[in-house]
Amino acid sequence: MGYLDWLIAVPAVGALVVPFIPVSEERRSLIRGFGLAISLVELVLAAVVGVQFNSHASGYQFVTDVHWIQSFGVSWFLGADGITLVLILLTALLFVIAMFAMKGVKDFRAYVGWMLLLEAACMGSFTSLDLFAFFVFFELTLIPSYFLIADFGMGASGKAAVKFFVYTFAGSALLLVGIVSLVFIHDSETHRLTFSLPALMDTHLSGTTQLLLFLAFTAAFAVKTPIFPFHTWSPDAYRAAPIPAVVMLAGVMAKLGSYGIIRFDLELFPSTARSLAWLMLTLAVIGILYGAVVAAGERDLGRLVAYSSLSHMGFIVLGIFAFSTEGMSGSILQMVNHGIYTAALFLLLGMIYERRGTLDMAKLGGLQKRAPIFAAVFMLVVMASVGLPGLNGFIGEFLILVGTFITHRWWAVVAVAGVVASAVYMLWAYQRVFHRSQADASPFGEIKLKEALLVAPLLALIVLLGLYPAPLLARIDPTASAVVQHVLAAKGPVSDGASLPAVVKGVK
Amino acid sequence: MIFANVLSQLPIALPAISYKAVAPELVLFGGALLILLVSATVGKRELPGLYRAIALVAALAEGGFSGYQLYLAQGAKASLAVAGAIAYDGFSAFAGIVVAAILLLAILIGPGFIKRIAGDGPEFLVLMLISAMGATVMAQGEDLIVIFIGLEILSIALYVMVGYRIGDGLAREAAFKYFILGGFSSAIFLYGIALVYGATGTTNLAKIGAFLALNVLTHDGVLLFGLALLLLGFGFKVSAVPFHLWSPDVYQGAPTSVTGYMAAMAKVGAFAALIRVFDIAFAGQIVQWRPIVVGLAILSMVFGALFALRQRELKKILAYSSINHAGFILLGVYAGTAAAISNTLFYLIAYAVIVVGTFGLVSIVQDSIGVSEGSCSLDQLRGLARSRPALATVTAIMVLAQAGAPFTTGFLAKFSIIVSVVEIREYWVAVVAMLSAAIAVAFYLRIVLAMFRGEPEEVEGERVLAIQGAATEAPARRQALAWIGVSLSLVFTVGFGIFPQPLLDLAARAHIVG
């Protein structure tokens, strides 16, 4: 078994063991210890993969390829390139944090079990190069995240969880039909039934077929990311779900969507991706602006962060469909950055909620006087999210905007407004919560040691990646430029190749 | 043999009977007779252990014979027997294995619970074996009359089993409804056979196929009407919308163990016959029947999923879920290719094992909360995860497997049907099917959530006490065998969900003769 197999197997086996650990209710912290141990082992594994990764190669590394279900041509085909690598690292890190952030959880056993299953499913989705295996893992993420949202929610979480599930499942229903159709078209061309991504990349598709398949695939990823206008589940889910679940939802699972776009949409349907780039770019820009405007009008901190997340995911999509190496690298890096600062932000929101029982900004205020260190930490994270130079949010956003400006000038120009707006609403929010006269006279405890330790690694990464992103970028760049080359080199669709889109002219 | 010799002197020509071909039926029927014989001669009516042992041996022997047939019936070895009325091929052998699997699980799970409502008499196991025999006859029937006989053997035994809780009003209503509507549908099915005979001059499927291949009917109204009536009869048995109205009530009213058994066994028999009749004998009429079948399939999938959303009674929800499954299986019939047929068989075995296991778990849950085998509302499940975590976890896995969760046979079954539909390039049907599955997920999740949600504070103490009270009544022995059955179905569902290749290989061998 290779490292990637272990990455999936360790949490999966952990999840299976958890329900059967013979521990009484009183000593349930043992279960928490078990979950922590597993997630730490996972982090070490991910770090080993990161160290052993050859950063000069753009292809897949640590490949495992064995037959799984011969009748359907399915194989257990795992591999990691630069994109996969950074997402694996992010996932492993955030799960450790989420395991620590178990405050307020009533049922440890269920929490740890579902978390570990979710981790296995996320790792599986990020490393699978077989479309069937990817789909299976992609689907599997829904079940634990449903329970995490619904089971430990802060109120109307059951409804939000169902909304989340039905939206994403409907998206992946289309994805499944798309995958199977693609496989059978490939089968009829080559008489080889296979779900392997590299093999399917050679399928010859007519323009219409490619368009339909692209839309079917994108539907699933757009819901997950979320891309405007498929985002409506996300504010409800982010607001209603308990903090650790949101950390996973916004930090890791949202990346499944953007990852899927790069890995599958761009690799399988490059020419359609190119001809539909205007649409995706426009949706991304609308998402950026819409998210920013709504966030500025929100009174609830949780929903505000949810909409700001929509806005920031818009940047990631923008960078992807700019089809320049800078934009692509920026997007991939920004996936990691967004995961880190969103996770930190939600953890801090959780601490506020725990102390005050509300995230309504009208009822908060003046917290800085009572908890100056807490305020400083919050400020740092807000600044990272706004994109202050020197912090991690800046690098990714900058690369994305530069990359987009090179190829699609006007989209970049409009998108810059989103950067400005994000500074506006974030600082407003900070001002309302931490400055002003306090609305509530009750005391607000300073950040505790445990809490500080929880966010400390994230803060360290925010600064570190802001000052020195090179280790990550070095691993991302070869893959990013390979993907961009693949898209730009792709010939037009089989039958109606004449209609080369304006997008390509822009590149030249 | 002497009897046969005497008969053969008479002017009626008796066909040569290949006992090898009908071995599965003989074993099941023999087992049933043996149990009756023992109960009549030993002098003590209640010998649960012995009855169960005989039934298990019969089920295993039937499975063994079918497995051997599947091994033999490759290509040239497949044949028709008993004057062409019985098919002896890989398809029927695989169906026989499914029947054996259902029987095995149901024998392990059912009798312990039935005992609480009807004692330890031999009848339950006898009826079970006889109905299973009906299903194998349907799967092997190469003649419409034989299929009809199989249908009746299966149904009449099931009518009795459904009525087991006769003291309960709901159960009485269910049994009555099932009997009356079932009788109607049988009559309609028979009328369909008559019309087909009128149009083609034979009831033998092979001959019908040959006749229709050679002749073009100038007026095919009679044939098509006959086909429609046959489809109606099958539609009732598999509870496809719009012939599903009986099933929620019957599922609720029947004893839980019977419900699971019936859901699986009736579907196996009816779908096996349906495939043989439509995909083989009437393959030439595919243009005519395909739109109807796809219509039934889509209605079943969509309405099965939608109606279940509004239910609060567990067994009714599962009834609508089985309607949704029936829609999926109908899609396999609709696709009709050789690969689609083996995929349909895969769906059947996956579904049969999951559904028997799920209802077995419901039985165990009901036994624990003291409502033996009756109806069970979602509210009664509340807090189960806290009082019986292992039970709740296993139930959750099985219910999610029904929903098509990855790494279970439930997912692979849905996947294989989607593959079959895409293979004939009906993409929109595949999309509708998957969207219906997306809706269906919502109600499966409600079941699971009900178990994992805590219960209302005020009644908590009382309920926990009730559960513990029931638990101290020594249900361990009663539940032990049921747990073996449930564990087997769980191992099957997850094991073949992760490594399905052996099962798929078996299903791929299930060719139909002719």
Side-chain angles (χ1 to χ4, degrees):
Chain A
M1 274 170 82
Y3 288 121
L4 300 184
D5 301 292
W6 285 111
L7 271 180
I8 301 171
V10 167
V13 170
L16 289 183
V17 170
V18 165
F20 303 104
I21 297 177
V23 171
S24 63
E25 267 299 292
E26 295 79 55
R27 301 178 59 204
R28 56 188 196 158
S29 56
L30 279 180
I31 292 173
R32 180 182 158 163
F34 177 78
L36 267 175
I38 296 270
S39 58
L40 281 171
V41 168
E42 189 79 348
L43 184 61
V44 170
L45 270 174
V48 169
V49 172
V51 170
Q52 299 216 344
F53 187 84
N54 174 4
S55 55
H56 300 295
S58 66
Y60 300 118
Q61 306 181 29
F62 307 102
V63 172
T64 318
D65 190 1
V66 289
H67 287 299
W68 182 8
I69 311 174
Q70 282 103 322
S71 300
F72 295 127
V74 173
S75 47
W76 180 258
F77 183 16
L78 306 180
D81 60 6
I83 312 172
T84 308
L85 175 74
V86 293
L87 290 172
I88 288 175
L89 289 170
L90 173 74
T91 309
L93 175 75
L94 289 188
F95 270 99
V96 175
I97 305 252
M99 282 291 177
F100 271 108
M102 231 189 272
K103 209 159 192 185
V105 171
K106 286 190 208 103
D107 191 345
F108 277 33
R109 203 183 281 269
Y111 179 86
V112 171
W114 290 125
M115 268 294 177
L116 288 177
L117 188 62
L118 183 60
E119 182 164 20
C122 287
M123 289 295 181
S125 323
F126 285 133
T127 53
S128 294
L129 295 176
D130 181 281
L131 265 68
F132 179 90
F134 169 78
F135 182 81
V136 167
F137 283 118
F138 190 72
E139 282 292 281
L140 189 62
T141 57
L142 289 186
I143 296 167
S145 43
Y146 171 83
F147 285 102
L148 288 171
I149 296 173
D151 225 356
F152 320 98
M154 291 185 194
S157 65
K159 224 173 148 188
V162 169
K163 197 171 173 184
F164 158 77
F165 202 105
V166 171
Y167 261 71
T168 37
F169 198 95
S172 38
L174 294 175
L175 174 64
L176 179 66
V177 177
I179 289 177
V180 176
S181 310
L182 176 67
V183 165
F184 273 89
I185 292 169
H186 181 262
D187 179 43
S188 66
E189 277 174 12
T190 62
H191 301 290
R192 185 171 156 229
L193 190 64
T194 176
F195 281 78
S196 133
L197 175 66
L200 291 173
M201 278 162 67
D202 300 329
T203 314
H204 301 286
L205 299 164
S206 74
T208 325
T209 316
Q210 205 176 117
L211 179 70
L212 288 174
L213 287 177
F214 178 86
L215 292 178
F217 275 67
T218 310
F221 302 138
V223 171
K224 203 86 157 201
T225 307
I227 296 175
F228 181 90
F230 301 101
H231 65 279
T232 48
W233 61 270
S234 71
D236 292 350
Y238 286 9
R239 176 65 192 87
I243 294 302
V246 186
V247 169
M248 297 338 299
L249 210 59
V252 177
M253 304 234 335
K255 310 305 175 292
L256 271 177
S258 45
Y259 166 80
I261 291 176
I262 299 178
R263 173 71 79 235
F264 299 103
D265 278 350
L266 299 194
E267 301 272 19
L268 290 170
F269 319 112
S271 63
T272 306
R274 218 167 48 197
S275 58
L276 279 187
W278 62 270
L279 176 68
M280 302 306 289
L281 289 169
T282 310
L283 287 180
V285 171
I286 294 176
I288 292 172
L289 297 181
Y290 174 82
V293 169
V294 178
E298 269 299 338
R299 304 184 61 78
D300 182 285
L301 262 180
R303 292 182 71 90
L304 182 142
V305 178
Y307 277 107
S308 93
S309 190
L310 171 68
S311 176
H312 289 181
M313 290 311 287
F315 275 108
I316 292 174
V317 176
L318 187 75
I320 293 172
F321 282 92
F323 300 134
S324 63
T325 308
E326 293 82 358
M328 187 65 71
S329 297
S331 285
I332 297 165
L333 183 65
Q334 188 67 359
M335 286 190 216
V336 178
N337 291 335
H338 177 257
I340 291 171
Y341 65 69
T342 309
L345 212 46
F346 273 114
L347 286 176
L348 292 172
L349 292 193
M351 293 169 197
I352 296 179
Y353 185 84
E354 202 180 288
R355 288 170 168 78
R356 280 288 152 89
T358 179
L359 287 177
D360 189 346
M361 287 193 278
K363 292 182 187 151
L364 299 167
L367 297 189
Q368 191 175 30
K369 266 186 204 146
R370 305 201 173 243
I373 305 176
F374 187 93
V377 169
F378 200 92
M379 190 67 198
L380 183 76
V381 177
V382 162
M383 282 303 147
S385 141
V386 165
L388 187 79
L391 299 178
N392 71 344
F394 171 73
I395 314 277
E397 234 167 54
F398 180 74
L399 279 173
I400 289 170
L401 286 172
V402 169
T404 314
F405 192 80
I406 298 171
T407 56
H408 300 82
R409 189 157 304 169
W410 292 107
W411 277 283
V413 169
V414 180
V416 169
V419 181
V420 180
S422 106
V424 171
Y425 63 76
M426 275 304 194
L427 290 177
W428 272 354
Y430 182 82
Q431 214 172 14
R432 280 184 198 158
V433 174
F434 287 93
H435 295 161
R436 276 201 318 183
S437 60
Q438 55 228 54
D440 190 347
S442 61
F444 187 89
E446 185 52 274
I447 190 162
K448 297 190 199 88
L449 183 66
K450 258 188 185 170
E451 295 169 336
L453 286 177
L454 201 59
V455 283
L458 295 175
L459 295 182
L461 279 174
I462 285 175
V463 177
L464 195 71
L465 289 179
L467 295 176
Y468 188 58
L472 282 190
L473 276 177
R475 284 166 173 75
I476 293 169
D477 264 337
T479 311
S481 65
V483 171
V484 171
Q485 285 312 314
H486 172 72
V487 173
L488 293 181
K491 295 187 187 70
V494 177
S495 59
D496 46 316
S499 61
L500 264 187
V503 176
V504 182
K505 288 171 206 156
V507 175
K508 290 163 187 167
Chain B
M1 294 309 281
I2 301 166
F3 181 64
N5 277 333
V6 171
L7 275 181
S8 62
Q9 307 295 317
L10 298 173
I12 307 165
L14 276 183
I17 294 174
S18 159
Y19 291 99
K20 208 168 54 179
V22 294
E25 285 88 345
L26 288 182
V27 169
L28 291 176
F29 193 57
L33 287 185
L34 188 60
I35 293 176
L36 282 179
L37 195 70
V38 168
S39 75
T41 51
V42 169
K44 188 171 163 234
R45 211 181 81 86
E46 306 207 332
L47 293 164
L50 183 60
Y51 299 151
R52 221 190 258 214
I54 296 173
L56 274 178
V57 168
L60 287 174
E62 193 267 344
F65 272 117
S66 300
Y68 185 59
Q69 277 190 3
L70 187 60
Y71 172 72
L72 282 185
Q74 278 293 81
K77 290 287 179 61
S79 59
L80 296 181
V82 195
I86 290 285
Y88 173 48
D89 54 12
F91 178 79
S92 65
F94 191 88
I97 293 176
V98 183
V99 167
I102 299 170
L103 264 184
L104 180 69
L105 295 178
I107 292 169
L108 286 173
I109 293 170
F113 301 113
I114 294 298
K115 177 187 174 181
R116 299 194 77 191
I117 52 175
D120 259 339
E123 301 85 2
F124 183 72
L125 286 168
V126 169
L127 288 169
M128 212 177 231
L129 290 176
I130 289 180
S131 62
M133 177 199 150
T136 47
V137 170
M138 285 183 86
Q140 288 200 296
E142 180 67 12
D143 190 294
L144 287 172
I145 299 292
V146 174
I147 290 175
F148 177 74
I149 293 172
L151 182 73
E152 285 301 283
I153 297 174
L154 171 68
S155 306
I156 290 173
L158 284 179
Y159 298 148
V160 182
M161 289 165 81
V162 166
Y164 243 82
R165 288 168 57 247
I166 204 70
D168 183 275
L170 274 177
R172 243 188 341 259
E173 187 197 328
F176 192 66
K177 207 177 222 173
Y178 191 37
F179 178 64
I180 297 288
L181 288 176
F184 265 121
S185 78
S186 294
I188 290 170
F189 187 79
L190 200 54
Y191 191 43
I193 296 177
L195 290 178
V196 170
Y197 179 74
T200 62
T202 175
T203 56
N204 187 288
L205 293 181
K207 288 179 186 156
I208 291 174
F211 177 84
L212 291 175
L214 290 175
N215 303 286
V216 177
L217 297 178
T218 44
H219 300 288
D220 58 357
V222 174
L223 178 70
L224 293 185
F225 193 54
L227 273 185
L229 294 185
L230 290 183
L231 205 51
L232 195 155
F234 283 127
F236 176 85
K237 279 295 158 215
V238 304
S239 73
V241 176
F243 315 116
H244 68 286
L245 292 169
W246 58 275
S247 79
D249 289 343
V250 171
Y251 273 55
Q252 182 188 13
T256 310
S257 314
V258 174
T259 313
Y261 175 76
M262 174 186 72
M265 195 57 91
K267 280 207 180 54
V268 170
F271 272 114
L274 182 59
I275 289 171
R276 205 183 277 282
V277 172
F278 280 80
D279 284 334
I280 303 301
F282 293 112
Q285 274 60 46
I286 198 163
V287 185
Q288 276 101 356
W289 58 256
R290 231 186 200 172
I292 309 178
V293 171
V294 78
L296 290 178
I298 286 177
L299 285 176
S300 306
M301 290 186 300
V302 173
F303 285 102
L306 286 178
F307 288 155
L309 288 176
R310 301 181 47 197
Q311 289 298 330
R312 293 212 54 81
E313 210 281 330
L314 179 60
K315 282 158 81 178
K316 279 193 171 175
I317 294 180
L318 290 174
Y320 283 111
S321 116
S322 92
I323 294 172
N324 178 268
H325 284 293
F328 265 93
I329 307 175
L330 275 172
L331 279 188
V333 179
Y334 156 76
T337 59
I341 290 172
S342 54
N343 286 343
T344 311
L345 284 178
F346 180 77
Y347 199 116
L348 274 176
I349 194 166
Y351 169 74
V353 171
I354 295 175
V355 84
V356 177
T358 311
F359 277 101
L361 284 159
V362 175
S363 282
I364 295 177
V365 171
Q366 289 182 325
D367 196 41
S368 307
I369 59 178
V371 279
S372 34
E373 305 288 285
S375 64
C376 176
S377 79
L378 280 185
D379 293 327
Q380 284 173 305
L381 293 180
R382 283 191 171 246
L384 191 72
R386 208 173 308 160
S387 54
R388 303 280 304 267
L391 180 59
T393 310
V394 177
T395 312
I397 294 174
M398 292 306 266
V399 168
L400 288 173
Q402 289 219 33
F407 297 108
T408 63
T409 48
F411 171 76
L412 284 162
K414 287 206 165 70
F415 175 78
S416 63
I417 291 292
I418 295 295
V419 164
S420 305
V421 174
V422 169
E423 211 176 1
I424 58 163
R425 300 182 178 258
E426 293 290 348
Y427 303 108
W428 65 273
V429 178
V431 170
V432 171
M434 280 314 292
L435 290 179
S436 87
I439 303 171
V441 162
F443 69 76
Y444 289 119
L445 285 176
R446 273 179 61 204
I447 301 176
V448 178
L449 205 57
M451 294 188 299
F452 282 85
R453 275 269 167 83
E455 48 207 313
E457 292 296 319
E458 58 268 29
V459 291
E460 185 159 0
E462 192 185 330
R463 268 287 308 290
V464 170
L465 273 183
I467 288 170
Q468 282 167 351
T472 50
E473 259 175 49
R477 233 185 77 76
R478 183 167 65 237
Q479 290 187 355
L481 279 173
W483 268 110
I484 294 176
V486 165
S487 316
L488 280 179
S489 71
L490 180 74
V491 167
F492 180 96
T493 302
V494 177
F496 283 119
I498 298 173
F499 299 109
Q501 194 55 45
L503 198 57
L504 287 167
D505 283 341
L506 271 189
R509 299 175 75 138
H511 300 295
I512 298 184
V513 64

